[in-house]
């Protein structure tokens, strides 16, 4: 890519960011733990929902030690409202690993971060950029949208490898933290202005409908058990109004994944 094209692209992103920068609590901290929590919360979840839950969660678990040492049921209870409860399990497990392996300090090394439960390349890259200002190239939804829109406007089946090369070439290596914030803000804006460029990605999958889904039933069952402390299968079926087959499948999954346990004919959190 020519130097003038790189500058032109950077000017578009920076120009938008200077006038439209968003303000979030996780942007107003340099605490690696708080940034770590926000990055896990923001996986597959709308910012508006994270804005509601993040301050509450940090209030209950203000330090990595408090999260690592807490009962999982307390973490799961604080997580309710964010969905994808497996992330709560991963966050708790990752905090325990960090406490035990790295003396409570969030790693600065990409391989160490990727070795933690629930931490993929985009989350690891976000932690490096936002917590430590380390310029590591990564892709997430907004970034993919921007680069397809600007550099692959008519191409189909765009591979992330192609995008990642451009992410690296155009990155502000002196200030990656603000650069990625700028990309996120511009990408969110772009998503409201154009037809979704991410459909041109080789990795695009249409999001499944949540209403009536297996995931919704899982969430409802877990929420009921958390709220009541323990429940019988009959009571769960009556309150959630789900078939025996679906309920049995969900309960078996939640037991296998160690979200709940069965004790004297009732189900409760682990």
């Amino acid at each position: 890519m020519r130097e003038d094209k790189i500058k032109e692209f950077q000017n578009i992103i920076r120009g938008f960011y200077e006038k439209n920068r968003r303000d979030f609590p996780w942007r107003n901290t340099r605490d690696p733990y708080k940034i770590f929590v926000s990055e896990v919360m923001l996986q597959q979840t709308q910012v508006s929902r994270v804005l509601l839950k993040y301050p509450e969660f940090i209030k209950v678990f203000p330090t990595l030690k408090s999260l690592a040492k807490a009962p999982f049921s307390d973490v799961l209870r604080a997580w309710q409202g964010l969905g994808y409860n497996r992330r709560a399990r991963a966050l708790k497990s990752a905090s325990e690993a960090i406490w035990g392996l790295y003396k409570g300090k969030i790693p600065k090394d990409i391989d160490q971060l990727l070795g933690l439960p629930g931490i993929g390349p985009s989350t690891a890259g976000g932690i490096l950029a936002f917590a430590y200002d380390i310029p590591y190239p990564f892709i997430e939804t907004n970034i993919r949208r921007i680069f397809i829109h600007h550099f692959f406007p008519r191409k189909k089946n765009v591979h992330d490898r192609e995008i990642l090369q451009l992410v690296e070439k155009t990155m502000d290596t002196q200030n990656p933290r603000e650069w990625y914030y700028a990309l996120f803000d511009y990408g969110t804006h772009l998503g409201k202005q154009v037809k979704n460029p991410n459909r041109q990605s080789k990795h695009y999958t249409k999001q499944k409908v949540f209403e009536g889904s297996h995931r919704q039933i899982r969430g409802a069952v877990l929420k009921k058990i958390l709220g009541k402390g323990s429940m019988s299968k009959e009571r769960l079926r009556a309150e959630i109004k789900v078939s025996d087959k679906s309920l049995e499948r969900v309960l078996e999954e939640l037991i296998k994944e160690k979200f709940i346990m069965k004790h004297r004919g009732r189900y409760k959190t682990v």
Side-chain angles (χ1 to χ4, degrees):
M1 183 185 290
R2 297 200 319 261
E3 189 67 29
D4 60 330
K5 290 294 182 183
I6 292 175
K7 290 293 183 185
E8 181 183 345
F9 175 73
Q10 289 176 333
N11 287 339
I12 290 171
I13 305 302
R14 289 181 178 131
F16 178 85
Y17 184 62
E18 285 173 6
K19 297 177 182 177
N20 301 281
R21 185 189 191 280
R22 295 180 296 174
D23 185 40
F24 301 128
W26 49 87
R27 291 189 181 184
N28 296 320
T29 181
R30 292 278 180 163
D31 184 339
Y33 164 69
K34 292 177 181 177
I35 291 167
F36 159 67
V37 170
S38 72
E39 285 299 298
V40 176
M41 284 188 170
L42 287 163
Q43 294 172 352
Q44 298 177 288
T45 302
Q46 293 177 336
V47 170
S48 58
R49 292 174 68 188
V50 177
L51 273 171
L52 292 174
K53 297 300 296 185
Y54 175 82
E56 298 173 10
F57 194 92
I58 292 297
K59 186 174 181 180
V60 177
F61 306 109
T63 63
L64 187 128
K65 181 180 179 179
S66 65
L67 179 60
K69 299 295 183 180
F72 176 58
S73 57
D74 289 353
V75 178
L76 197 55
R77 194 168 286 109
W79 187 269
Q80 292 307 291
L82 284 169
Y84 294 101
N85 290 304
R86 288 189 182 96
R87 289 181 302 151
R89 166 69 72 190
L91 180 63
K92 166 70 171 151
S93 298
S95 70
E96 292 171 348
I98 294 167
W99 183 255
L101 294 173
Y102 306 116
K103 299 180 180 179
K105 296 182 180 179
I106 311 293
K108 292 183 179 182
D109 179 83
I110 185 65
D111 292 326
Q112 290 177 345
L113 285 171
L114 291 174
L116 297 172
I119 305 298
S122 63
T123 302
I127 292 170
L128 290 178
F130 304 135
Y132 299 118
D133 230 5
I134 294 173
Y136 184 82
F138 68 91
I139 299 173
E140 56 80 67
T141 300
N142 286 299
I143 292 173
R144 187 180 289 111
R145 179 185 297 124
I146 292 169
F147 281 85
I148 290 177
H149 175 74
H150 281 276
F151 300 104
F152 305 97
R154 288 177 291 278
K155 185 173 179 179
K156 296 193 186 209
N157 294 318
V158 181
H159 199 286
D160 276 356
R161 283 195 303 268
E162 300 173 85
I163 296 173
L164 203 55
Q165 292 174 357
L166 296 174
V167 172
E168 188 167 10
K169 287 179 180 178
T170 58
M171 188 190 308
D172 180 351
T173 57
Q174 300 303 308
N175 194 357
R177 176 182 165 102
E178 290 298 316
W179 173 247
Y180 276 116
Y181 285 155
L183 284 175
F184 285 6
D185 289 357
Y186 179 71
T188 300
H189 165 76
L190 191 63
K192 300 172 185 176
Q193 305 299 313
V194 300
K195 187 177 179 180
N196 189 5
N198 282 336
R199 294 185 181 186
Q200 297 164 233
S201 168
K202 185 178 179 64
H203 313 279
Y204 176 75
T205 54
K206 191 174 182 180
Q207 191 170 18
K208 294 180 181 179
V209 177
F210 177 70
E211 197 66 32
S213 67
H214 180 68
R215 185 163 67 88
Q216 185 186 40
I217 297 170
R218 278 177 57 104
V221 168
L222 201 51
K223 186 176 181 179
K224 286 288 184 184
I225 294 173
L226 278 169
K228 300 286 187 180
S230 70
M231 292 186 76
S232 67
K233 186 189 296 183
E234 293 71 27
R235 192 63 191 165
L236 280 165
R237 189 189 305 115
E239 293 199 16
I240 298 174
K241 296 180 174 57
V242 64
S243 70
D244 286 347
K245 185 177 179 181
S246 293
L247 181 58
E248 189 67 38
R249 179 186 168 194
V250 165
L251 290 171
E252 287 177 3
E253 284 181 358
L254 293 176
I255 289 172
K256 185 177 180 180
E257 295 169 22
K258 297 183 180 179
F259 281 100
I260 63 172
M261 61 184 291
K262 188 176 182 180
H263 181 67
R264 295 181 179 178
R266 296 175 71 84
Y267 297 89
K268 63 180 184 177
T269 53
V270 175

